[in-house]
Amino acid sequence: MLEEYHSGLKRILLFFFRAWGLDFLPKPKRKVLIFLKHSLYPIYAMYGVFCELWHLIYQMEDFSDLIDVAFSITLAIGMFQGVLIYLVIIVGNRGKIMEIFEFFEQLIKTHDPTMREIRRRNFEVSMRTSFICAKYFLSANLLSWTTITIFNTIRTNFTGPMMYHIPGLPTGSVFFYPINLIHQTIMFFQGYAIIMFSDVTIMITIMCCQAELEAIAEFISHLNDSDHPKEDATEVLRKIYSIHMILSVYTKKIAGAFWHIYLYKLLTIMMYLCSMFIVFQTEEEIPFVAVISVLVMASEVFILCFFGQILSNSSEKMQNALYMTKWYKMSNKNQKTLLMLMLRFQDPVKIETFAVGTITIYTFVQICKASISYAAFLYAVFK
């Protein structure tokens, strides 16, 4: 089962990087062509941002239709977030994330007799959790965005789900409706697909790290085996040290890669929620798609924060496992080694970002509270 879950998660990662990395196009050799290839998606997405802003500034007669305003702002922010994700993950950290995933893939295949079964057991639990969460998260979001697409398309008289009209295309043209509908539908789904697949990529990477932390915590418990020879404690401590040394290299890479990603995602999600909560305060009858939109956004920030919490919990569990060992039964030399390990383990594995700090489930509460507060403030100012 471990191989099956791992294979499924690997397919998701490869699809994400190959689809938005445009790997289906010929690989250019010249730097100029590589730059142009990497510029295709940002230009396309920024065109969507431009169209939404054009719609807000010029195509909209007034701001009385708050549903239109809220969705237009949300869609513009979503397209811009897609550009940031592309630049930070696809262009900037693709190699690093795949290197991290391949490292954990090698750990699963290890033939180390002391760690093989422990690793496989913990990785199977983590991979199963990741696979199930990814499956239901992507499926639920696909259903939700499809519902929103249908609603917006009907509301705009079958112009398109992104609310705007393509600038420069005459409304009387025979191509007006088909081009708008096809173009906006493609842009809508690809824009939000890159956001959701990036969330799943973050989740998979974190859960791989969490599985190794759980394996280390379980391996530390060998120090408390009543039938374990005291002289073997030296080998166990040495093994714990070497495993943690290697893992810390990759956890630093994870923290470095996700620092910017979390910052951009949390800020944009806060703006999504703020714009939609304003609608909740002004409309007497709240459209069900507005509720669906808020739930989708809330699920995104919950996924990001929940798995950050899981990583912190596993790191703390590893520290506690070492702290609770029967150190008083060890030799003086091993006690000193244990103290050194405890000092090293005081630097926990966690995901952090600017202005938020450590990402935990409390961050989810903070984001929701801040979004509601800002929405209430803006409503009071512009009422």
Side-chain angles (χ1 to χ4, degrees), residues 23-132:
D23 287 2
F24 51 86
L25 296 178
K27 187 175 182 180
K29 295 181 180 179
R30 296 182 178 274
K31 292 183 178 180
V32 176
L33 295 177
I34 294 173
F35 175 78
L36 290 175
K37 181 181 177 181
H38 288 163
S39 301
L40 288 176
Y41 178 79
I43 291 173
Y44 180 67
M46 288 305 296
Y47 176 70
V49 176
F50 165 75
C51 290
E52 289 294 353
L53 294 177
W54 184 270
H55 174 64
L56 283 166
I57 297 171
Y58 294 105
Q59 294 178 348
M60 206 176 286
E61 295 181 359
D62 54 48
F63 295 140
S64 59
D65 189 350
L66 288 177
I67 299 296
D68 191 353
V69 174
F71 270 111
S72 296
I73 293 173
T74 300
L75 292 167
I77 295 171
M79 292 300 104
F80 184 68
Q81 184 186 352
V83 174
L84 295 177
I85 290 171
Y86 177 84
L87 295 176
V88 175
I89 298 183
I90 303 293
V91 177
N93 288 290
R94 175 177 179 173
K96 187 181 294 185
I97 292 174
M98 289 307 300
E99 179 189 357
I100 292 168
F101 186 78
E102 288 169 2
F103 164 71
F104 290 114
E105 185 178 27
Q106 292 301 316
L107 289 181
I108 297 173
K109 299 176 181 178
T110 184
H111 296 290
D112 185 347
T114 58
M115 289 292 293
R116 177 177 171 79
E117 291 304 318
I118 296 175
R119 275 195 178 122
R120 289 186 65 84
R121 183 164 54 252
N122 284 281
F123 268 92
E124 182 172 351
V125 173
S126 295
M127 295 298 99
R128 181 174 66 247
T129 303
S130 300
F131 185 78
I132 293 173

Side-chain angles (χ1 to χ4, degrees), residues 137-156:
F137 179 71
L138 293 174
S139 300
N141 276 279
L142 176 61
L143 179 62
S144 300
W145 291 124
T146 302
T147 304
I148 294 171
T149 299
I150 295 171
F151 173 83
N152 287 350
T153 302
I154 295 173
R155 197 173 190 277
T156 57

Side-chain angles (χ1 to χ4, degrees), residues 177-240:
Y177 285 99
I179 289 180
N180 268 293
L181 183 60
I182 295 171
H183 161 73
Q184 292 185 41
T185 302
I186 293 173
M187 178 166 284
F188 183 91
F189 278 103
Q190 64 80 25
Y192 282 98
I194 190 174
I195 294 173
M196 300 308 162
F197 273 95
S198 65
D199 294 338
V200 171
T201 299
I202 293 170
M203 178 190 69
I204 293 170
T205 309
I206 288 177
M207 289 303 287
C208 286
C209 183
Q210 182 262 352
E212 182 67 0
L213 291 173
E214 292 284 340
I216 294 174
E218 185 176 340
F219 183 67
I220 290 173
S221 64
H222 286 358
L223 291 170
N224 295 328
D225 291 346
S226 56
D227 56 344
H228 203 80
K230 292 183 180 180
E231 56 271 16
D232 286 354
T234 304
E235 294 300 322
V236 174
L237 291 170
R238 185 181 291 115
K239 187 74 175 179
I240 294 170

